[in-house]
Amino acid sequence: TLTISTDGVEIVGEDRNTSVIQVANSTSIGTLLHINGASNVILENLTLSGNKANQVASNLLAGGIGGANLVIRNVDFINQKGTNSGVFSNVSVDRVEISNCGFFNDDGYAVSGIGNHTNVMNCILGTVGFGINLENVGVIDSCYLDFGTVSGASGYGYRVNTYCRISNCYAVGCAAETYQIVGDFNTITNSISVVGSDVAYTIEGDNNSITNCISDGDREGCYIYLRKRNVFSNNVINRVKQDGITLETSTDNTISGNIIDGFLTTDNVESGIRLFGTSTRNAVIGNRILKHDGTATNDWQYGLREASSADDFNTYIGNIITGVQGTAIGTQGASSIAANNVTS
């Protein structure tokens, strides 16, 4: 283990191809590069390799405890071993910048930031077990993730907790949620999920916003779980295989201006927008629900659906719905309102 305990240390290589720090064969190293309470540290122009083909134990390529102002630029993290470990992790390190880095052939997560102000920008993630996980006050911008063959147990793409922003990102082939919000006051904009085997966008917090995003060929488009005051607007959910948007036990959310295009795996089962579990006071406005290119063989069962009378006080206004075999607008709540919708 290379430990950095002094402020102001800079490790700068010639380039990523020739400046390689690698775990020795059959070494239970734990962490390859450990930042121990040091601030103003720079890692640049090099490669850290876990050498997993010649290891038995899991390893962590870089990690930190304490300190502040860590900069990692133009660094590749490769061949990390073990799904329970990871590539880069920081615990209570404040103000971390990771930019123009690559993560390739790694078993664990690419970045797991537990401190505040972690910014991950312009990074490429290829064949990693998990993607990027930020906790508080962080930014993920202009990152590209291609899982290839997922080696991790979950395989989520981008995961944030509180006061974080995801923008201009891309992910293909996630085994779990592609974009996952687990806390409050986060935004996701101008981002894309392609052919994920789970939900493209999941919200498990309050006061979050997802706008101007795309899901193409994912199992489901958006799932809001036990939450309130979230906005999911002006997104394109293309070739979705099951329910387009689901609200479970969620209140005071706005679902507006989305295109939900079904290329469904089963006939007369799924819903364009589904509310259940006592979901109330939600506004569903101006969405377009249809079958893919008008040629998909399977129909929606419902365009808009409330599962029971407990799903009440919701409004459904100005939605356009086609390709439904069952009921275009299936309200159950006595006080829910459906007005000025177009069905065919």
Side-chain angles (χ1 to χ4, degrees), residues 82-218:
T83 58
N84 293 325
S85 191
V87 179
F88 178 82
S89 178
N90 74 76
V91 180
S92 67
V93 179
D94 198 19
R95 297 185 299 277
V96 178
E97 176 192 321
I98 303 172
S99 60
N100 300 305
C101 293
F103 303 85
F104 305 104
N105 196 29
D106 302 312
D107 291 342
Y109 47 75
V111 176
S112 182
I114 303 175
N116 293 325
H117 307 102
T118 298
N119 296 337
V120 185
M121 300 168 290
N122 300 309
C123 292
I124 296 176
L125 295 76
T127 317
V128 295
F130 309 90
I132 299 172
N133 172 30
L134 300 187
E135 287 296 323
N136 302 307
V137 197
V139 173
I140 306 172
D141 190 19
S142 301
C143 292
Y144 178 96
L145 187 159
D146 188 342
F147 270 102
T149 302
V150 176
S151 56
S154 295
Y156 63 74
Y158 305 97
R159 183 180 185 271
V160 294
N161 192 342
T162 304
Y163 294 112
C164 292
R165 171 173 62 86
I166 300 175
S167 57
N168 307 307
C169 289
Y170 176 92
V172 59
C174 293
E177 295 94 334
T178 306
Y179 298 87
Q180 183 182 29
I181 294 175
V182 296
D184 306 332
F185 305 106
N186 303 279
T187 65
I188 303 177
T189 59
N190 301 316
S191 294
I192 299 173
S193 171
V194 179
V195 293
S197 55
D198 206 296
V199 182
Y201 302 93
T202 300
I203 299 176
E204 300 176 28
D206 301 333
N207 304 298
N208 300 287
S209 173
I210 300 177
T211 58
N212 301 313
C213 292
I214 293 173
S215 162
D216 183 32
D218 296 295

Side-chain angles (χ1 to χ4, degrees), residues 232-236 245 253-260 273 282-290 303-304 315-321 329 337-342:
F232 189 82
S233 295
N234 300 322
N235 303 290
V236 176
I245 299 173
N253 299 284
T254 298
I255 310 297
S256 65
N258 302 290
I259 296 175
I260 304 168
I273 300 176
N282 298 288
V284 180
I285 302 170
N287 301 283
R288 178 74 170 93
I289 299 170
L290 67 157
L304 308 171
T315 59
Y316 306 90
I317 299 173
N319 301 284
I320 302 174
I321 304 167
I329 303 173
I337 297 172
N340 299 322
N341 298 291
V342 177

Side-chain angles (χ1 to χ4, degrees), residues 302 304-306 308 311 314 316 327 329-333 336-338:
Y302 291 88
L304 308 171
R305 181 186 184 187
E306 292 178 340
S308 75
D311 303 302
N314 300 295
Y316 306 90
T327 303
I329 303 173
T331 58
Q332 300 290 329
S336 289
I337 297 172

